[in-house]
Amino acid sequence: KSARFSGRVALLTGAAGNIGLACAHRLARSGAAIALLDMNAQALQAAEKAVAAHGVKARSYMCDVTDIAAVRDTVAAVVAEFGAIDFLFNNAGYQGAFAPVQDYPEDDFARVMDINVRGAFHVLRTVSQHMVARKFGRIVNTASMAGVQGPPNMAAYGASKFAIIGLTEVASKDLAPYNIRVNAISPAFMGPGMMWDRQVELQAKVGSQYFSTDPKEVAKQMIGSVPMRRYGSIEEIPGVVEFLLGEDSSYMTGVNLPIAGG
Ligand code: NAD
């Protein structure tokens, strides 16, 4: 059993979701103690149990990242329970609606920005205060290829993920003096799962010039745009996150790594 991260503590947000949980499993297998943050109580409980089965300490925390007071309380509780936070996987996110910008629902735009940008900032700000004091930290933010090249019909999501890549670059500079590295990952089409099904279905429903109105065709069109001609598996993400948290990437900060099949 590899124990490259034994003695390390990782905090993951969106930890009850597909990508967060897959990464929690990976880091637990590498020996890290795991703090799981999410706002889905039921999924969180199951996630904590599953991660603890690796024989590491695992605790779950119900927290809405849009609520700064809740984030402060949660981070304080994690530090009290685990003694420190070495790794942050800042990953909670929401895909939002699908509509052309002129019709994009205003309240959903606000919600996407609130979760994906303000929420990520709340967690980054709060955890990095702790890391600055310790002069150690490794942070990975979850962006998206939608933050590299804006996809049609995703005004809020695209804007929010461009913001995350910007935030990653700024934070990498602000935190470099404190031995804290901040990088991002950008998954593209990952499947199977809710996000894949949802985007295929909703892009079809919009009926824009970019995609067919038949979800099956949309899936083909999306995969046809990927050089590797397949969607990515969720399991192709945790190794990249582990690389960015670990010392194999010791001279990398402010970088956004696409996980996108080319
Ligand atoms: P998911 O829906 O399975 O997981 C997201 C998790 O975030 C959920 O458990 C949800 O409860 C949690 N969450 C949402 N809002 C929250 C809030 N306000 N406070 C706390 N927790 C909250 O989706 P996923 O695919 O695992 O997505 C994880 C990250 O990856 C997101 O940032 C998403 O934008 C990004 N991403 C996903 C894909 C993909 O295709 N799956 C591609 C690119 C980027």
Side-chain angles (χ1 to χ4, degrees):
K1 184 185 161 188
S2 151
R4 66 189 299 224
F5 288 161
S6 77
R8 294 295 189 196
V9 177
L11 170 62
L12 301 90
T13 75
N18 290 318
I19 294 174
L21 183 56
C23 291
H25 277 295
R26 173 73 175 230
L27 299 178
R29 276 201 297 273
S30 295
I34 307 290
L36 303 116
L37 184 159
D38 204 288
M39 65 172 194
N40 181 338
Q42 230 179 346
L44 197 50
Q45 238 178 3
E48 179 187 310
K49 234 179 155 180
V51 171
H54 296 286
V56 298
K57 178 169 174 172
R59 295 280 185 279
S60 59
Y61 298 84
M62 260 290 283
C63 176
D64 181 342
V65 296
T66 66
D67 179 348
I68 181 65
V71 169
R72 282 201 195 107
D73 289 351
T74 300
V75 170
V78 172
V79 171
E81 175 68 36
F82 289 83
I85 300 169
D86 301 293
F87 303 144
L88 168 64
F89 184 41
N90 196 12
N91 164 74
Y94 163 57
Q95 200 176 37
F98 286 74
V101 67
Q102 69 274 22
D103 299 327
Y104 198 93
E106 292 157 1
D107 55 344
D108 189 76
F109 190 93
R111 180 158 172 70
V112 171
M113 294 310 246
D114 214 30
I115 297 171
N116 294 6
V117 183
R118 276 186 64 237
F121 165 70
H122 289 158
V123 174
L124 179 63
R125 180 183 198 278
T126 310
V127 173
S128 60
Q129 282 177 358
H130 164 76
M131 289 176 167
V132 163
R134 290 182 70 226
K135 291 206 162 50
F136 183 90
R138 308 286 180 252
I139 298 171
V140 174
N141 295 320
T142 303
S144 167
M145 286 310 283
V148 175
Q149 201 170 41
N153 302 313
M154 298 181 80
Y157 190 76
S160 77
K161 295 302 189 179
F162 270 81
I164 288 300
I165 293 169
L167 183 62
T168 301
E169 289 186 10
V170 172
S172 73
K173 289 175 180 146
D174 292 347
L175 298 173
Y178 304 99
N179 185 29
I180 301 168
R181 296 191 291 107
V182 188
N183 293 293
I185 56 162
S186 279
F189 299 130
M190 310 305 294
M194 221 264 284
M195 265 191 95
W196 171 255
D197 293 342
R198 194 172 175 274
Q199 69 189 322
V200 162
E201 200 174 298
L202 294 182
Q203 285 288 22
K205 211 176 251 173
V206 175
S208 70
Q209 67 178 356
Y210 301 102
F211 295 108
S212 162
T213 51
D214 172 6
K216 278 204 192 96
E217 264 316 300
V218 174
K220 275 194 206 149
Q221 289 174 313
M222 284 179 176
I223 286 168
S225 73
V226 177
M228 288 175 70
R229 289 293 188 273
R230 63 174 179 85
Y231 53 56
S233 147
I234 296 292
E235 287 309 321
E236 293 175 296
I237 294 176
V240 181
V241 173
E242 181 165 283
F243 165 72
L244 289 173
L245 293 175
E247 294 314 297
D248 287 341
S249 62
S250 54
Y251 199 50
M252 293 173 70
T253 196
V255 158
N256 174 47
L257 286 186
I259 306 173

